[in-house]
Amino acid sequence: MKRISVLTILPLLLFALEKVNLVKDHSFEKDSEVWHTRVGGGWPQIALVSRHDPESAYTGEYSGSGDTRPEPENPPLSFVQSAYVIQGFSSPKKTVEDIDSLTLFYSARYLYDDVDRSFLAYILLHLNANSEDFMKVGYILKRPGEPIGTQPHYAIFKSTSFTQDTLWHTLSEGISTDIRSWGSIPLNAVVDSFILWVTGFNLPPWRGQKVFFDDVRLMGFADYDVGVKEITSVTETIPYTPAALIKNFGREPAEFSVVAEILQGETQVYHDSID
């Protein structure tokens, strides 16, 4: 077997915990099975939702979007349409105390290019989803002047008014700080899913918008998250001996395998592994 020292493995019991991105696919990559979509509302269904929308993107060619701009014919006063882009959290579930901060980029396209004809978009964490006392907590983008009422199971940390322009804007918040300022949110609540929710509503007149989301980063502490910390090999040396620093960024001990691979173009010229 070829020589391989890939691997100066750092101690698994960590001395310093590092935050990682808990969103598995933050860039809405094309054909990703991580993000799920659905629409909601009355008949006829006019909301649109996409987890791959190249029309506008902050990074690369991909973004996710919810669109409630189309106007239904003669909608009743209470007519609501919603578009949801959702990512669930797999086992082991994360708890509120695991979450640190949120950063995402968004832009909006308004009905008839009029920001006053826009309505709402939520950025939410769904907590204790299978319990009667479930909660949806987070942030809200709203049309200028739109009051934010209260409703059961919802707690909105902060609200931000849509701007008149259609440029990309940053939403960056310290979720940990905001949650702790709301004493009613238990820190051991289980985070079931992350929801981007665009809503259109007939006040009247019809109010809706298309909102793009991209480069979503929900930072927190992972239970198991092993990765390459640093490549330490001297590349000019022949024969080449791969060497790297591998770290468990999570907070629990983990057993893992390390694979070393060298490609020449698309041809694999070296492959080895170690447990």
Side-chain angles (χ1 to χ4, degrees):
M1 185 172 74
K2 296 183 180 180
R3 286 186 300 159
I4 179 170
S5 61
V6 184
L7 293 160
T8 307
I9 301 178
L10 298 184
L12 297 181
L13 294 177
L14 303 180
F15 296 102
L17 201 61
E18 295 188 24
K19 291 188 290 289
V20 297
N21 189 6
L22 300 176
V23 174
K24 302 173 190 174
D25 189 344
H26 63 276
S27 298
F28 291 99
E29 293 298 327
K30 182 179 179 181
D31 300 325
S32 169
E33 295 303 319
V34 173
W35 294 96
H36 300 276
T37 59
R38 68 182 181 90
V39 295
W43 183 265
Q45 187 64 253
I46 55 102
L48 304 172
V49 61
S50 174
R51 62 185 176 193
H52 172 225
D53 194 332
E55 178 185 332
S56 180
Y58 181 79
T59 56
E61 299 178 351
Y62 307 111
S63 67
S65 68
D67 191 351
T68 57
R69 289 175 302 177
E71 292 188 74
E73 296 182 5
N74 303 315
L77 181 60
S78 60
F79 190 87
V80 179
Q81 289 281 276
S82 297
Y84 306 88
V85 190
I86 305 166
Q87 181 182 128
F89 285 81
S90 60
S91 182
K93 296 290 187 181
K94 309 310 297 174
T95 59
V96 166
E97 61 187 346
D98 296 336
I99 309 298
D100 179 75
S101 58
L102 166 75
T103 300
L104 59 78
F105 297 90
Y106 70 90
S107 67
R109 306 294 182 267
Y110 308 108
L111 188 66
Y112 306 125
D113 297 322
D114 183 358
V115 67
D116 290 326
R117 295 289 297 275
S118 63
F119 193 52
L120 303 176
Y122 300 87
I123 297 96
L124 299 172
L125 296 178
H126 192 182
L127 309 180
N128 294 337
N130 297 322
S131 174
E132 291 184 359
D133 61 348
F134 75 88
M135 301 183 72
K136 290 184 179 179
V137 302
Y139 308 94
I140 187 170
L141 307 172
K142 64 184 183 65
R143 75 184 186 94
E146 178 66 29
I148 302 302
T150 59
Q151 53 182 311
H153 301 296
Y154 284 79
I156 305 300
F157 300 133
K158 297 175 183 176
S159 61
T160 302
S161 292
F162 284 121
T163 55
Q164 182 69 55
D165 63 63
T166 58
L167 302 176
W168 282 93
H169 296 273
T170 306
L171 178 70
S172 183
E173 301 290 349
I175 287 184
S176 177
T177 300
D178 289 340
I179 284 177
R180 282 163 173 76
S181 70
W182 289 64
S184 60
I185 301 175
L187 296 182
N188 64 351
V190 174
V191 181
D192 174 81
S193 53
F194 182 68
I195 305 172
L196 304 173
W197 174 8
V198 181
T199 302
F201 190 66
N202 186 43
L203 292 178
W206 180 256
R207 301 186 185 279
Q209 66 284 308
K210 181 173 186 178
V211 183
F212 296 91
F213 300 100
D214 206 350
D215 207 25
V216 181
R217 298 183 182 273
L218 185 65
M219 304 304 292
F221 303 112
D223 290 313
Y224 307 98
D225 190 352
V226 177
V228 177
K229 182 74 173 179
E230 181 183 357
I231 302 295
T232 60
S233 300
V234 179
T235 56
E236 293 79 9
T237 302
I238 299 176
Y240 182 78
T241 302
L245 297 177
I246 310 298
K247 181 173 181 179
N248 176 12
F249 291 87
R251 58 185 181 178
E252 298 289 342
E255 295 182 0
F256 53 90
S257 299
V258 176
V259 176
E261 180 183 61
I262 299 176
L263 298 177
Q264 194 171 62
E266 296 183 358
T267 303
Q268 183 187 78
V269 296
Y270 180 92
H271 179 273
D272 212 336
S273 61
I274 186 173
D275 291 327

mmCIF file of all heavy atoms in Angstrom, residues 58-95:
data_model
loop_
_atom_site.group_PDB
_atom_site.id
_atom_site.type_symbol
_atom_site.label_atom_id
_atom_site.label_comp_id
_atom_site.label_asym_id
_atom_site.label_seq_id
_atom_site.Cartn_x
_atom_site.Cartn_y
_atom_site.Cartn_z
ATOM 1 N N TYR A 58 -27.721 35.843 -5.647
ATOM 2 C CA TYR A 58 -26.671 36.632 -5.015
ATOM 3 C C TYR A 58 -25.310 35.999 -5.250
ATOM 4 O O TYR A 58 -24.328 36.687 -5.503
ATOM 5 C CB TYR A 58 -26.942 36.755 -3.508
ATOM 6 C CG TYR A 58 -25.904 37.585 -2.799
ATOM 7 C CD1 TYR A 58 -25.959 38.979 -2.873
ATOM 8 C CD2 TYR A 58 -24.876 36.988 -2.084
ATOM 9 C CE1 TYR A 58 -24.997 39.762 -2.236
ATOM 10 C CE2 TYR A 58 -23.917 37.772 -1.446
ATOM 11 C CZ TYR A 58 -23.982 39.151 -1.529
ATOM 12 O OH TYR A 58 -23.033 39.915 -0.911
ATOM 13 N N THR A 59 -25.238 34.674 -5.158
ATOM 14 C CA THR A 59 -23.988 33.966 -5.402
ATOM 15 C C THR A 59 -24.225 32.887 -6.448
ATOM 16 O O THR A 59 -25.267 32.244 -6.451
ATOM 17 C CB THR A 59 -23.462 33.307 -4.116
ATOM 18 O OG1 THR A 59 -24.463 32.448 -3.582
ATOM 19 C CG2 THR A 59 -23.107 34.360 -3.080
ATOM 20 N N GLY A 60 -23.262 32.690 -7.322
ATOM 21 C CA GLY A 60 -23.386 31.645 -8.334
ATOM 22 C C GLY A 60 -24.577 31.883 -9.240
ATOM 23 O O GLY A 60 -24.896 33.011 -9.595
ATOM 24 N N GLU A 61 -25.261 30.795 -9.586
ATOM 25 C CA GLU A 61 -26.403 30.891 -10.496
ATOM 26 C C GLU A 61 -27.695 30.448 -9.833
ATOM 27 O O GLU A 61 -28.708 30.278 -10.494
ATOM 28 C CB GLU A 61 -26.149 30.013 -11.726
ATOM 29 C CG GLU A 61 -24.923 30.421 -12.529
ATOM 30 C CD GLU A 61 -24.675 29.499 -13.701
ATOM 31 O OE1 GLU A 61 -25.364 28.460 -13.781
ATOM 32 O OE2 GLU A 61 -23.804 29.807 -14.521
ATOM 33 N N TYR A 62 -27.685 30.255 -8.511
ATOM 34 C CA TYR A 62 -28.820 29.627 -7.867
ATOM 35 C C TYR A 62 -29.375 30.468 -6.732
ATOM 36 O O TYR A 62 -28.645 31.129 -5.997
ATOM 37 C CB TYR A 62 -28.417 28.251 -7.317
ATOM 38 C CG TYR A 62 -27.773 27.386 -8.358
ATOM 39 C CD1 TYR A 62 -26.425 27.076 -8.285
ATOM 40 C CD2 TYR A 62 -28.517 26.911 -9.425
ATOM 41 C CE1 TYR A 62 -25.826 26.287 -9.246
ATOM 42 C CE2 TYR A 62 -27.928 26.121 -10.395
ATOM 43 C CZ TYR A 62 -26.583 25.815 -10.313
ATOM 44 O OH TYR A 62 -25.994 25.043 -11.266
ATOM 45 N N SER A 63 -30.679 30.434 -6.606
ATOM 46 C CA SER A 63 -31.357 31.028 -5.469
ATOM 47 C C SER A 63 -32.692 30.322 -5.308
ATOM 48 O O SER A 63 -33.171 29.651 -6.215
ATOM 49 C CB SER A 63 -31.573 32.535 -5.671
ATOM 50 O OG SER A 63 -32.482 32.772 -6.730
ATOM 51 N N GLY A 64 -33.309 30.467 -4.149
ATOM 52 C CA GLY A 64 -34.656 29.963 -3.925
ATOM 53 C C GLY A 64 -35.598 31.151 -3.882
ATOM 54 O O GLY A 64 -35.203 32.259 -3.522
ATOM 55 N N SER A 65 -36.863 30.941 -4.226
ATOM 56 C CA SER A 65 -37.781 32.076 -4.263
ATOM 57 C C SER A 65 -39.213 31.653 -3.966
ATOM 58 O O SER A 65 -39.611 30.510 -4.175
ATOM 59 C CB SER A 65 -37.740 32.764 -5.632
ATOM 60 O OG SER A 65 -38.285 31.910 -6.625
ATOM 61 N N GLY A 66 -39.965 32.617 -3.456
ATOM 62 C CA GLY A 66 -41.403 32.471 -3.293
ATOM 63 C C GLY A 66 -42.078 33.633 -3.991
ATOM 64 O O GLY A 66 -41.637 34.782 -3.859
ATOM 65 N N ASP A 67 -43.133 33.353 -4.740
ATOM 66 C CA ASP A 67 -43.752 34.375 -5.596
ATOM 67 C C ASP A 67 -45.252 34.414 -5.346
ATOM 68 O O ASP A 67 -45.957 33.431 -5.590
ATOM 69 C CB ASP A 67 -43.455 34.041 -7.064
ATOM 70 C CG ASP A 67 -43.829 35.175 -8.010
ATOM 71 O OD1 ASP A 67 -44.473 36.144 -7.569
ATOM 72 O OD2 ASP A 67 -43.468 35.094 -9.199
ATOM 73 N N THR A 68 -45.752 35.531 -4.840
ATOM 74 C CA THR A 68 -47.203 35.694 -4.653
ATOM 75 C C THR A 68 -47.706 36.913 -5.423
ATOM 76 O O THR A 68 -48.735 37.489 -5.082
ATOM 77 C CB THR A 68 -47.543 35.849 -3.155
ATOM 78 O OG1 THR A 68 -46.816 36.956 -2.613
ATOM 79 C CG2 THR A 68 -47.179 34.591 -2.386
ATOM 80 N N ARG A 69 -47.020 37.284 -6.494
ATOM 81 C CA ARG A 69 -47.433 38.457 -7.272
ATOM 82 C C ARG A 69 -48.693 38.233 -8.100
ATOM 83 O O ARG A 69 -49.493 39.165 -8.232
ATOM 84 C CB ARG A 69 -46.297 38.899 -8.192
ATOM 85 C CG ARG A 69 -45.112 39.525 -7.470
ATOM 86 C CD ARG A 69 -43.989 39.835 -8.429
ATOM 87 N NE ARG A 69 -43.544 38.639 -9.133
ATOM 88 C CZ ARG A 69 -42.610 38.618 -10.075
ATOM 89 N NH1 ARG A 69 -42.020 39.752 -10.440
ATOM 90 N NH2 ARG A 69 -42.245 37.498 -10.651
ATOM 91 N N PRO A 70 -48.895 37.046 -8.703
ATOM 92 C CA PRO A 70 -50.087 36.889 -9.543
ATOM 93 C C PRO A 70 -51.368 37.208 -8.772
ATOM 94 O O PRO A 70 -51.545 36.786 -7.637
ATOM 95 C CB PRO A 70 -50.030 35.412 -9.952
ATOM 96 C CG PRO A 70 -48.593 35.044 -9.839
ATOM 97 C CD PRO A 70 -48.066 35.838 -8.683
ATOM 98 N N GLU A 71 -52.257 37.953 -9.389
ATOM 99 C CA GLU A 71 -53.509 38.328 -8.735
ATOM 100 C C GLU A 71 -54.627 37.354 -9.103
ATOM 101 O O GLU A 71 -54.900 37.123 -10.274
ATOM 102 C CB GLU A 71 -53.918 39.737 -9.147
ATOM 103 C CG GLU A 71 -53.006 40.831 -8.627
ATOM 104 C CD GLU A 71 -53.574 42.195 -8.896
ATOM 105 O OE1 GLU A 71 -54.529 42.607 -8.219
ATOM 106 O OE2 GLU A 71 -53.075 42.854 -9.814
ATOM 107 N N PRO A 72 -55.309 36.786 -8.114
ATOM 108 C CA PRO A 72 -56.460 35.920 -8.406
ATOM 109 C C PRO A 72 -57.653 36.765 -8.860
ATOM 110 O O PRO A 72 -57.726 37.966 -8.578
ATOM 111 C CB PRO A 72 -56.746 35.257 -7.053
ATOM 112 C CG PRO A 72 -56.242 36.240 -6.058
ATOM 113 C CD PRO A 72 -55.040 36.897 -6.680
ATOM 114 N N GLU A 73 -58.558 36.145 -9.578
ATOM 115 C CA GLU A 73 -59.748 36.856 -10.029
ATOM 116 C C GLU A 73 -60.781 36.910 -8.912
ATOM 117 O O GLU A 73 -61.175 35.891 -8.365
ATOM 118 C CB GLU A 73 -60.352 36.157 -11.262
ATOM 119 C CG GLU A 73 -59.449 36.174 -12.478
ATOM 120 C CD GLU A 73 -60.102 35.513 -13.674
ATOM 121 O OE1 GLU A 73 -61.289 35.144 -13.565
ATOM 122 O OE2 GLU A 73 -59.434 35.368 -14.712
ATOM 123 N N ASN A 74 -61.218 38.120 -8.564
ATOM 124 C CA ASN A 74 -62.263 38.336 -7.560
ATOM 125 C C ASN A 74 -62.024 37.549 -6.279
ATOM 126 O O ASN A 74 -62.863 36.753 -5.847
ATOM 127 C CB ASN A 74 -63.640 37.952 -8.141
ATOM 128 C CG ASN A 74 -63.952 38.734 -9.399
ATOM 129 O OD1 ASN A 74 -63.751 39.953 -9.447
ATOM 130 N ND2 ASN A 74 -64.427 38.039 -10.427
ATOM 131 N N PRO A 75 -60.871 37.741 -5.624
ATOM 132 C CA PRO A 75 -60.614 36.991 -4.392
ATOM 133 C C PRO A 75 -61.486 37.504 -3.250
ATOM 134 O O PRO A 75 -61.815 38.690 -3.194
ATOM 135 C CB PRO A 75 -59.144 37.285 -4.120
ATOM 136 C CG PRO A 75 -58.933 38.648 -4.702
ATOM 137 C CD PRO A 75 -59.780 38.683 -5.941
ATOM 138 N N PRO A 76 -61.903 36.630 -2.331
ATOM 139 C CA PRO A 76 -62.608 37.091 -1.141
ATOM 140 C C PRO A 76 -61.670 37.925 -0.277
ATOM 141 O O PRO A 76 -60.452 37.895 -0.444
ATOM 142 C CB PRO A 76 -63.003 35.790 -0.436
ATOM 143 C CG PRO A 76 -62.018 34.782 -0.925
ATOM 144 C CD PRO A 76 -61.712 35.171 -2.339
ATOM 145 N N LEU A 77 -62.225 38.656 0.660
ATOM 146 C CA LEU A 77 -61.449 39.578 1.471
ATOM 147 C C LEU A 77 -60.321 38.878 2.223
ATOM 148 O O LEU A 77 -59.239 39.417 2.395
ATOM 149 C CB LEU A 77 -62.364 40.293 2.476
ATOM 150 C CG LEU A 77 -61.688 41.325 3.380
ATOM 151 C CD1 LEU A 77 -61.062 42.436 2.546
ATOM 152 C CD2 LEU A 77 -62.693 41.905 4.366
ATOM 153 N N SER A 78 -60.558 37.637 2.667
ATOM 154 C CA SER A 78 -59.574 36.939 3.480
ATOM 155 C C SER A 78 -58.627 36.061 2.669
ATOM 156 O O SER A 78 -57.903 35.260 3.223
ATOM 157 C CB SER A 78 -60.301 36.058 4.516
ATOM 158 O OG SER A 78 -61.121 35.109 3.862
ATOM 159 N N PHE A 79 -58.632 36.213 1.360
ATOM 160 C CA PHE A 79 -57.855 35.348 0.493
ATOM 161 C C PHE A 79 -56.363 35.511 0.759
ATOM 162 O O PHE A 79 -55.818 36.607 0.717
ATOM 163 C CB PHE A 79 -58.154 35.664 -0.965
ATOM 164 C CG PHE A 79 -57.597 34.678 -1.940
ATOM 165 C CD1 PHE A 79 -58.316 33.537 -2.282
ATOM 166 C CD2 PHE A 79 -56.362 34.870 -2.512
ATOM 167 C CE1 PHE A 79 -57.801 32.630 -3.183
ATOM 168 C CE2 PHE A 79 -55.835 33.957 -3.419
ATOM 169 C CZ PHE A 79 -56.567 32.828 -3.753
ATOM 170 N N VAL A 80 -55.677 34.397 1.051
ATOM 171 C CA VAL A 80 -54.245 34.403 1.336
ATOM 172 C C VAL A 80 -53.559 33.338 0.483
ATOM 173 O O VAL A 80 -54.085 32.241 0.302
ATOM 174 C CB VAL A 80 -53.960 34.112 2.828
ATOM 175 C CG1 VAL A 80 -52.454 34.097 3.094
ATOM 176 C CG2 VAL A 80 -54.648 35.131 3.715
ATOM 177 N N GLN A 81 -52.386 33.671 -0.038
ATOM 178 C CA GLN A 81 -51.571 32.701 -0.756
ATOM 179 C C GLN A 81 -50.171 32.699 -0.159
ATOM 180 O O GLN A 81 -49.621 33.762 0.173
ATOM 181 C CB GLN A 81 -51.485 33.043 -2.243
ATOM 182 C CG GLN A 81 -52.780 32.826 -3.008
ATOM 183 C CD GLN A 81 -52.996 31.362 -3.337
ATOM 184 O OE1 GLN A 81 -52.487 30.849 -4.309
ATOM 185 N NE2 GLN A 81 -53.775 30.705 -2.519
ATOM 186 N N SER A 82 -49.591 31.521 -0.009
ATOM 187 C CA SER A 82 -48.275 31.412 0.596
ATOM 188 C C SER A 82 -47.393 30.459 -0.196
ATOM 189 O O SER A 82 -47.878 29.485 -0.769
ATOM 190 C CB SER A 82 -48.384 30.917 2.052
ATOM 191 O OG SER A 82 -49.097 31.840 2.843
ATOM 192 N N ALA A 83 -46.088 30.757 -0.207
ATOM 193 C CA ALA A 83 -45.090 29.909 -0.842
ATOM 194 C C ALA A 83 -44.015 29.610 0.190
ATOM 195 O O ALA A 83 -43.469 30.530 0.803
ATOM 196 C CB ALA A 83 -44.484 30.610 -2.054
ATOM 197 N N TYR A 84 -43.722 28.325 0.410
ATOM 198 C CA TYR A 84 -42.804 27.908 1.464
ATOM 199 C C TYR A 84 -41.580 27.204 0.867
ATOM 200 O O TYR A 84 -41.717 26.317 0.033
ATOM 201 C CB TYR A 84 -43.470 26.918 2.421
ATOM 202 C CG TYR A 84 -44.773 27.386 3.031
ATOM 203 C CD1 TYR A 84 -45.984 27.171 2.377
ATOM 204 C CD2 TYR A 84 -44.796 28.013 4.271
ATOM 205 C CE1 TYR A 84 -47.188 27.580 2.940
ATOM 206 C CE2 TYR A 84 -45.990 28.414 4.847
ATOM 207 C CZ TYR A 84 -47.184 28.198 4.178
ATOM 208 O OH TYR A 84 -48.365 28.598 4.743
ATOM 209 N N VAL A 85 -40.385 27.600 1.326
ATOM 210 C CA VAL A 85 -39.159 26.877 1.034
ATOM 211 C C VAL A 85 -38.635 26.389 2.383
ATOM 212 O O VAL A 85 -38.362 27.187 3.274
ATOM 213 C CB VAL A 85 -38.102 27.761 0.347
ATOM 214 C CG1 VAL A 85 -36.947 26.911 -0.155
ATOM 215 C CG2 VAL A 85 -38.717 28.550 -0.800
ATOM 216 N N ILE A 86 -38.497 25.072 2.551
ATOM 217 C CA ILE A 86 -38.284 24.484 3.868
ATOM 218 C C ILE A 86 -37.080 23.539 3.858
ATOM 219 O O ILE A 86 -36.884 22.789 2.904
ATOM 220 C CB ILE A 86 -39.530 23.685 4.314
ATOM 221 C CG1 ILE A 86 -40.776 24.574 4.259
ATOM 222 C CG2 ILE A 86 -39.353 23.100 5.704
ATOM 223 C CD1 ILE A 86 -42.068 23.797 4.341
ATOM 224 N N GLN A 87 -36.307 23.584 4.930
ATOM 225 C CA GLN A 87 -35.270 22.577 5.140
ATOM 226 C C GLN A 87 -35.432 21.989 6.538
ATOM 227 O O GLN A 87 -35.448 22.723 7.531
ATOM 228 C CB GLN A 87 -33.867 23.172 5.009
ATOM 229 C CG GLN A 87 -32.777 22.114 5.192
ATOM 230 C CD GLN A 87 -31.376 22.677 5.109
ATOM 231 O OE1 GLN A 87 -30.563 22.461 5.992
ATOM 232 N NE2 GLN A 87 -31.083 23.375 4.037
ATOM 233 N N GLY A 88 -35.576 20.679 6.623
ATOM 234 C CA GLY A 88 -35.711 20.012 7.901
ATOM 235 C C GLY A 88 -34.353 19.682 8.501
ATOM 236 O O GLY A 88 -33.339 19.641 7.806
ATOM 237 N N PHE A 89 -34.334 19.465 9.815
ATOM 238 C CA PHE A 89 -33.114 19.077 10.514
ATOM 239 C C PHE A 89 -33.190 17.603 10.860
ATOM 240 O O PHE A 89 -34.160 17.146 11.455
ATOM 241 C CB PHE A 89 -32.933 19.915 11.782
ATOM 242 C CG PHE A 89 -32.484 21.320 11.490
ATOM 243 C CD1 PHE A 89 -33.398 22.276 11.100
ATOM 244 C CD2 PHE A 89 -31.150 21.657 11.565
ATOM 245 C CE1 PHE A 89 -32.992 23.557 10.812
ATOM 246 C CE2 PHE A 89 -30.728 22.943 11.282
ATOM 247 C CZ PHE A 89 -31.646 23.897 10.899
ATOM 248 N N SER A 90 -32.167 16.867 10.481
ATOM 249 C CA SER A 90 -32.159 15.427 10.696
ATOM 250 C C SER A 90 -31.663 15.100 12.095
ATOM 251 O O SER A 90 -31.173 15.957 12.822
ATOM 252 C CB SER A 90 -31.275 14.737 9.654
ATOM 253 O OG SER A 90 -29.948 15.215 9.756
ATOM 254 N N SER A 91 -31.789 13.849 12.460
ATOM 255 C CA SER A 91 -31.350 13.384 13.773
ATOM 256 C C SER A 91 -29.812 13.344 13.827
ATOM 257 O O SER A 91 -29.174 12.951 12.846
ATOM 258 C CB SER A 91 -31.916 11.988 14.040
ATOM 259 O OG SER A 91 -31.545 11.541 15.311
ATOM 260 N N PRO A 92 -29.172 13.736 14.922
ATOM 261 C CA PRO A 92 -29.824 14.227 16.137
ATOM 262 C C PRO A 92 -30.350 15.649 15.959
ATOM 263 O O PRO A 92 -29.683 16.483 15.358
ATOM 264 C CB PRO A 92 -28.708 14.192 17.187
ATOM 265 C CG PRO A 92 -27.454 14.365 16.387
ATOM 266 C CD PRO A 92 -27.708 13.669 15.071
ATOM 267 N N LYS A 93 -31.550 15.898 16.470
ATOM 268 C CA LYS A 93 -32.169 17.202 16.308
ATOM 269 C C LYS A 93 -31.363 18.284 17.020
ATOM 270 O O LYS A 93 -30.731 18.047 18.031
ATOM 271 C CB LYS A 93 -33.597 17.185 16.862
ATOM 272 C CG LYS A 93 -34.542 16.252 16.130
ATOM 273 C CD LYS A 93 -34.869 16.762 14.737
ATOM 274 C CE LYS A 93 -35.947 15.928 14.075
ATOM 275 N NZ LYS A 93 -36.283 16.380 12.723
ATOM 276 N N LYS A 94 -31.424 19.482 16.496
ATOM 277 C CA LYS A 94 -30.792 20.616 17.151
ATOM 278 C C LYS A 94 -31.775 21.244 18.130
ATOM 279 O O LYS A 94 -32.988 21.181 17.939
ATOM 280 C CB LYS A 94 -30.366 21.663 16.130
ATOM 281 C CG LYS A 94 -29.552 21.149 14.966
ATOM 282 C CD LYS A 94 -28.395 20.291 15.385
ATOM 283 C CE LYS A 94 -27.376 21.030 16.229
ATOM 284 N NZ LYS A 94 -26.317 20.112 16.738
ATOM 285 N N THR A 95 -31.243 21.858 19.162
ATOM 286 C CA THR A 95 -32.074 22.589 20.107
ATOM 287 C C THR A 95 -31.780 24.079 19.978
ATOM 288 O O THR A 95 -30.785 24.483 19.362
ATOM 289 C CB THR A 95 -31.822 22.139 21.553
ATOM 290 O OG1 THR A 95 -30.436 22.360 21.874
ATOM 291 C CG2 THR A 95 -32.156 20.661 21.729
#
